[in-house]
Amino acid sequence: MHLSAYSSCKPLRVGMLVALAFIALSAGRAAGAEGPGLLPHTRIRVAIVQWNAAHGAYEKWDAIGGDYEIADDGTVHLPVIGSVSVDGIDTTRLSAEIATRIQAKIGLVQTPEATISILAYPPVYVVGDVKSPGEYKYREGLTVLQSLAMSGGAFREEKPSGPDDMELSAELRGLDDLILRTEIRIARLQAEMSGAGDIAYRIEPGPDSDAAAAILRQERAIFAARAKHVSRQSKSLDELRDFFSQEMANLETKTRGSEADIASLEEELRKLKPLVAKGLVVPAVRNELERTIRSATGDRLDLATAIMRARQGIAEASRGIESLHDTQLTEVASQLQTDQSSLYQLTVKRRYAQQRLLDVLARHGNASRPGRLEFSISRQAGGETVEIAASESTRLLPGDVVRVKRVSSGPDGVPVARSDVDVGQNSQ
């Protein structure tokens, strides 16, 4: 896993230095045509953006951008523009080709910006006289000796492993498990941050696929439970806000009726006053009417106060909904930052433990059984499989099959290759 993937977990100054170094390294690789290139089954991420002068910002084209896998025929199929051949080109030329095709297909005035990043290369396979033959993740610069360490070292019949080998193997296995759990947990937190409906995590085929599937099921259960909890709280606050809204509507209706009653009483009082002055109506009738008006006016003020309280309840419910989502995002962002930092530290520890295992293998070699190891590589080239003799320092390409064979010395000192039956049994 590249160092730049975890630069956000470091202080800002260090993160900027790492980012600048990564950009310089990427530019150097593009100029020198290094790296395995775009091979079949390589997973890439396509990002398309275009400057929108009206909004003064870049717009991302999610309909075309996304994660894709290069097919066996060396093409990648994208929406709108169709299949694009990647044979003999790097990510820079592929980005330019995609951008040019989009411009021609849609009829744009300006060419959009296309960026290609490699997510994962095809795995390598280690078979033969190794402790754990199987499929392993490829990274740039991987050598035959490193692939031997990834597969647990050479198979040993008489003495399976020394104390150092056993401790380092156990440490590597534990780190692999922690890294896998952390990666899937990060995928779950990213899904919560983006508001996605499910966790976007692809389980790669290999010895850890069953464990990854079990961890992913656990994280999906946590994801669903947290989503239901937030949904229930949000629904309760929505119902409370609707209740206050309905109550306020009823109070406003009562207020309008009270105002109409007060207006009617005041009109009646206005007509009554001349009759009282002429002595046609006793003053007690006027006084009673005035008390009725004062009481109605007080009731109207009570209704106005109740309306204000209902509005306050609506505002508090709305703030509660916003606070609920803000609190969740804050917790998720904090946990995501912590897990990304932990993932970086675990990756560094694993790299160090793997290097120590390589040192142990280099020092002790195959002391438990006389003889030496021979390596060969099966590689796809031009649609055919070719066999290549290799040494410990030979660099691998994605999709390579590394064959490890122990060559023992016979009675006369001449190297004797082990039989295919022995190789098959030990590989199992």
Side-chain angles (χ1 to χ4, degrees):
M1 191 168 292
H2 291 292
L3 182 60
S4 60
Y6 310 104
S7 60
S8 61
C9 306
K10 295 186 173 183
L12 180 59
R13 184 174 64 180
V14 178
M16 292 176 65
L17 292 175
V18 172
L20 291 173
F22 178 74
I23 292 173
L25 178 61
S26 299
R29 286 177 178 170
E34 297 180 359
L38 298 172
L39 301 176
H41 303 292
T42 300
R43 291 177 57 214
I44 62 173
R45 175 165 293 168
V46 181
I48 310 294
V49 297
Q50 186 179 31
W51 175 256
N52 189 325
H55 296 86
Y58 280 98
E59 293 183 347
K60 187 177 180 181
W61 293 13
D62 292 329
I64 301 178
D67 298 347
Y68 301 93
E69 183 172 316
I70 298 175
D72 291 330
D73 60 354
T75 62
V76 57
H77 186 80
L78 278 72
V80 180
I81 63 175
S83 296
V84 180
S85 175
V86 301
D87 186 24
I89 65 175
D90 56 13
T91 55
T92 302
R93 292 177 59 189
L94 179 59
S95 301
E97 176 68 17
I98 291 174
T100 302
R101 288 201 183 188
I102 292 175
Q103 181 185 23
K105 184 72 174 181
I106 303 179
L108 300 174
V109 177
Q110 295 182 346
T111 306
E113 297 289 336
T115 303
I116 307 296
S117 57
I118 295 178
L119 297 179
Y121 290 107
V124 296
Y125 304 87
V126 185
V127 298
D129 289 336
V130 293
K131 185 175 180 181
S132 301
E135 174 183 306
Y136 295 93
K137 183 181 292 186
Y138 174 85
R139 62 173 177 80
E140 291 188 30
L142 184 67
T143 64
V144 170
L145 182 59
Q146 290 170 341
S147 70
L148 178 63
M150 293 168 62
S151 60
F155 181 85
R156 302 178 182 182
E157 292 180 346
E158 299 177 3
K159 189 177 179 181
S161 61
D164 293 341
D165 297 355
M166 294 177 63
E167 291 177 2
L168 289 174
S169 297
E171 182 179 350
L172 280 173
R173 188 60 186 170
L175 289 172
D176 285 339
D177 182 71
L178 288 175
I179 289 173
L180 181 62
R181 291 181 181 276
T182 305
E183 286 179 342
I184 298 178
R185 185 164 60 250
I186 287 175
R188 188 253 297 171
L189 293 172
Q190 289 174 338
E192 291 185 12
M193 282 284 292
S194 62
D198 193 12
I199 301 175
Y201 184 84
R202 178 174 177 177
I203 299 177
E204 300 291 346
D208 294 332
S209 58
D210 292 340
I215 297 171
L216 184 58
R217 285 195 297 270
Q218 296 172 0
E219 291 296 332
R220 278 181 171 152
I222 296 174
F223 178 79
R226 288 171 60 87
K228 288 180 181 179
H229 175 70
V230 173
S231 178
R232 284 195 299 267
Q233 289 187 321
S234 180
K235 182 179 179 181
S236 298
L237 291 171
D238 281 335
E239 291 175 351
L240 182 61
R241 184 170 58 182
D242 294 340
F243 170 77
F244 281 123
S245 298
Q246 185 61 44
E247 183 180 19
M248 188 175 68
N250 295 336
L251 291 172
E252 288 175 345
T253 301
K254 289 182 179 180
T255 300
R256 288 192 295 270
S258 177
E259 290 174 348
D261 292 341
I262 292 173
S264 177
L265 291 172
E266 289 176 345
E267 178 65 20
E268 185 177 350
L269 179 61
R270 186 184 63 78
K271 293 178 180 179
L272 187 62
K273 286 181 178 180
L275 298 177
V276 173
K278 294 178 181 180
L280 298 176
V281 177
V282 295
V285 176
R286 180 194 61 190
N287 295 339
E288 181 65 25
L289 186 57
E290 288 176 346
R291 282 194 296 271
T292 303
I293 292 174
R294 286 194 296 272
S295 177
T297 302
D299 293 340
R300 184 180 61 181
L301 292 175
D302 292 340
L303 290 172
T305 302
I307 290 174
M308 293 177 62
R309 290 175 178 170
R311 287 176 178 168
Q312 184 179 6
I314 293 173
E316 289 179 354
S318 299
R319 286 195 298 270
I321 294 174
E322 295 176 357
S323 176
L324 174 65
H325 293 287
D326 290 344
T327 300
Q328 184 204 22
L329 288 178
T330 301
E331 292 177 354
V332 170
S334 177
Q335 183 63 45
L336 181 60
Q337 185 177 14
T338 301
D339 285 344
Q340 286 175 335
S341 177
S342 299
L343 182 59
Y344 171 76
Q345 295 173 7
L346 290 170
T347 305
V348 172
K349 288 181 180 179
R350 188 193 187 283
R351 195 174 301 154
Y352 176 66
Q354 186 175 359
Q355 185 59 47
R356 285 189 294 157
L357 180 58
L358 287 172
D359 293 340
V360 171
L361 292 174
R363 287 197 307 268
H364 300 291
N366 301 301
S368 62
R369 192 171 190 269
R372 59 185 178 83
L373 296 178
E374 287 187 352
F375 306 99
S376 64
I377 299 173
S378 297
R379 178 175 297 168
Q380 293 292 327
E384 297 181 354
T385 302
V386 296
E387 294 291 333
I388 304 172
S391 65
E392 294 179 347
S393 60
T394 301
R395 291 197 174 188
L396 301 177
L397 292 180
D400 280 354
V401 179
V402 181
R403 300 183 183 276
V404 182
K405 180 186 294 185
R406 182 184 300 281
V407 179
S408 303
S409 297
D412 54 356
V414 179
V416 178
R418 297 176 61 206
S419 66
D420 293 339
V421 176
D422 291 338
V423 171
Q425 290 174 348
N426 292 330
S427 298
Q428 294 175 2

